[in-house]
Amino acid sequence: MEIGSEYWKYNENLEKNNAEFWNLGKDNKFTLSGRTSIYYILKNIIKNINLKKAYLPSYCCESISLPFIDLGIEVVYYDVYFDNGLKYNINLNQECDIFFAINYFGYSCMNMEDYIKQFKKKGKIVIEDITHSIFSNKKYSEYSDYLFASLRKWFPIASGGIAVNMNSNFLLNLENTNKDMISIKTEAMKNKENYMSNSEGKKEVFLKQYSESEKILDSDYKNYSIDEDSLKIIMGINIEEIINRRKENIKIIYEKLKNNKYIKFMEEKYDEKDCLLFVPIILDTKLRDKLRKYLIENKVYLPIHWILNKKLNNIFDHELSLVCDQRYTNEQINIYIDKMINFLKKV
């Protein structure tokens, strides 16, 4: 059994009605991806306001800054760093039109509510990334103007993002989905399903397809809606079960690693009100890289988040994101964490 990496095709029942769960803000739209949502929000703002500068975190995916750059909006970064916990170095007097906040990994204690309030008082537009916190009890700040999330991070879907206008209706429409990207991604998910269920097919085939679909998204992400099959999944999947299974897996990880001398959790304590995207840990760079290599050799694929600008934060060289998602049973989580522990004992 492999742990981590891309989702595969979803074949379970879709009997739930999640319409109320997704009823966020005054208006919302389901988009192709998270970056599509950002671009769509910015295009709507530009209809009425001339945007010159945005204040973004140094610790984020490069795709977040891309819509700003594509629209000619200058990006200034505030420092996000690790010092016995995640810390922010934010200049409240920074000249900007937009303040951009992220709820890292889904931890409520990492939300940026106080900063959001401060920038709102100064008349700035606040966009809040709720990708990580969408299933935590506190999803977002009520003071934010716009919300967005990349839903592809949570579900076995070919496409999916959400853009939320907290105060009024969106002014622009979206086009039909990017069919080329969806076609290749769907085929990749089918091929991985076959590989995961009975080891049929070659791994390099679906990995190449996943890569091809991402390349299409990189070059053609703007103004697209979610595809119909993905929308059916997010509207009918059992969200409560996803949350519960993740929380169980998270608790196992915290319990098994809490006294490990080589590891620090990015957040020392886990609040069970939070449903995390990953469990981020901090460790020595060389040890992290050796551990990750060992786990890959044992078919456990753990990502590192993120490299945007290493000069702006100290996190990328030390962070490792532990998989905790709903695809895996408690037993499978125990097995791969035990592999980590046994490797670290030999160091």
Side-chain angles (χ1 to χ4, degrees):
M1 177 68 180
E2 291 189 359
I3 300 290
S5 192
E6 299 278 359
Y7 283 92
W8 50 91
K9 190 173 183 294
Y10 187 78
N11 290 315
E12 297 177 33
N13 293 330
L14 296 170
E15 299 175 341
K16 299 295 181 179
N17 181 356
N18 298 325
E20 183 60 31
F21 180 87
W22 298 114
N23 185 23
L24 301 172
K26 178 72 175 178
D27 191 17
N28 59 71
K29 305 286 186 186
F30 289 104
T31 67
L32 185 72
S33 68
R35 79 193 74 170
T36 308
S37 295
I38 299 172
Y39 187 87
Y40 178 70
I41 288 169
L42 293 175
K43 286 288 283 185
N44 274 270
I45 297 172
I46 288 170
K47 288 282 286 183
N48 295 317
I49 300 171
N50 182 25
L51 298 177
K52 294 180 180 179
K53 187 179 292 186
Y55 200 24
L56 273 63
S58 65
Y59 187 47
C60 69
C61 177
E62 187 177 10
S63 63
I64 282 177
S65 60
L66 186 61
F68 293 90
I69 294 168
D70 284 349
L71 288 166
I73 301 167
E74 182 185 352
V75 173
V76 178
Y77 295 101
Y78 56 86
D79 195 10
V80 182
Y81 60 98
F82 180 82
D83 183 8
N84 291 319
L86 203 66
K87 303 290 171 58
Y88 311 110
N89 184 11
I90 295 175
N91 177 8
L92 294 174
N93 295 315
Q94 172 65 48
E95 179 189 345
C96 64
D97 302 298
I98 290 175
F99 175 69
F100 190 101
I102 296 180
N103 298 326
Y104 287 101
F105 296 100
Y107 291 102
S108 297
C109 60
M110 291 184 189
N111 77 63
M112 303 176 74
E113 179 98 2
D114 290 340
Y115 293 109
I116 290 171
K117 287 181 184 178
Q118 292 286 341
F119 278 95
K120 279 296 293 179
K121 286 181 182 177
K122 294 177 179 290
K124 309 303 181 184
I125 298 168
V126 176
I127 299 176
E128 186 177 6
D129 181 352
I130 63 168
T131 298
H132 302 191
S133 57
I134 191 74
F135 296 128
S136 293
N137 274 24
K138 184 169 177 56
K139 295 176 175 57
Y140 58 85
S141 168
E142 62 185 15
Y143 298 96
S144 295
D145 297 294
Y146 298 92
L147 317 173
F148 85 92
S150 174
L151 304 180
R152 299 188 305 147
K153 306 290 193 300
W154 292 93
F155 298 112
I157 51 180
S159 75
I162 188 170
V164 180
N165 188 331
M166 296 297 288
N167 303 311
S168 59
N169 291 324
F170 284 115
L171 303 173
L172 303 175
N173 294 320
L174 290 163
E175 302 171 14
N176 288 332
T177 197
N178 185 329
K179 293 181 180 179
D180 290 339
M181 181 263 188
I182 298 300
S183 176
I184 295 173
K185 181 73 174 287
T186 301
E187 191 64 27
M189 294 174 77
K190 287 179 181 177
N191 287 332
K192 184 166 185 181
E193 177 199 22
N194 291 335
Y195 173 81
M196 294 297 292
S197 60
N198 51 30
S199 297
E200 286 185 3
K202 295 181 178 179
K203 186 173 183 178
E204 56 267 27
V205 172
F206 65 76
L207 288 178
K208 183 180 179 181
Q209 289 171 326
Y210 280 119
S211 178
E212 287 175 355
S213 71
E214 287 301 309
K215 286 179 181 178
I216 294 173
L217 180 63
D218 287 341
S219 63
D220 189 15
Y221 70 91
K222 301 169 186 173
N223 303 322
Y224 288 114
S225 63
I226 192 172
D227 69 282
E228 289 185 7
D229 289 337
S230 295
L231 183 59
K232 287 177 183 176
I233 290 173
I234 66 172
M235 283 297 183
I237 201 167
N238 191 330
I239 289 177
E240 184 178 359
E241 181 181 359
I242 289 172
I243 293 172
N244 289 338
R245 290 181 69 173
R246 278 182 174 267
K247 286 182 176 181
E248 288 178 5
N249 290 340
I250 293 162
K251 284 189 284 186
I252 289 170
I253 292 171
Y254 263 85
E255 185 61 31
K256 294 183 80 73
L257 294 178
K258 65 182 180 181
N259 295 319
N260 194 290
K261 65 181 180 179
Y262 297 104
I263 289 171
K264 288 184 178 180
F265 289 104
M266 188 174 284
E267 172 51 45
E268 185 177 351
K269 295 182 180 179
Y270 172 57
D271 185 338
E272 292 184 30
K273 293 179 181 178
D274 296 332
C275 182
L276 308 183
L277 185 59
F278 293 96
V279 179
I281 59 171
I282 302 292
L283 59 169
D284 174 80
T285 306
K286 290 182 179 179
L287 180 58
R288 188 273 309 270
D289 293 343
K290 288 178 181 179
L291 172 61
R292 191 166 183 245
K293 182 176 182 291
Y294 167 77
L295 291 171
I296 289 171
E297 291 169 355
N298 286 271
K299 297 183 177 182
V300 178
Y301 303 96
L302 304 182
I304 295 170
H305 291 102
W306 295 268
I307 180 164
L308 176 62
N309 189 329
K310 290 173 69 173
K311 293 179 181 179
L312 289 173
N313 71 69
N314 66 341
I315 303 172
F316 175 80
D317 286 334
H318 301 280
E319 192 269 346
L320 189 63
S321 295
L322 305 188
V323 170
C324 59
D325 70 66
Q326 67 272 11
R327 291 177 287 180
Y328 308 112
T329 63
N330 295 170
E331 181 182 7
Q332 289 166 332
I333 297 295
N334 269 298
I335 289 171
Y336 103 75
I337 296 298
D338 282 343
K339 287 180 180 178
M340 285 180 57
I341 292 170
N342 290 334
F343 175 84
L344 293 171
K345 283 179 180 177
K346 298 175 184 177
V347 174

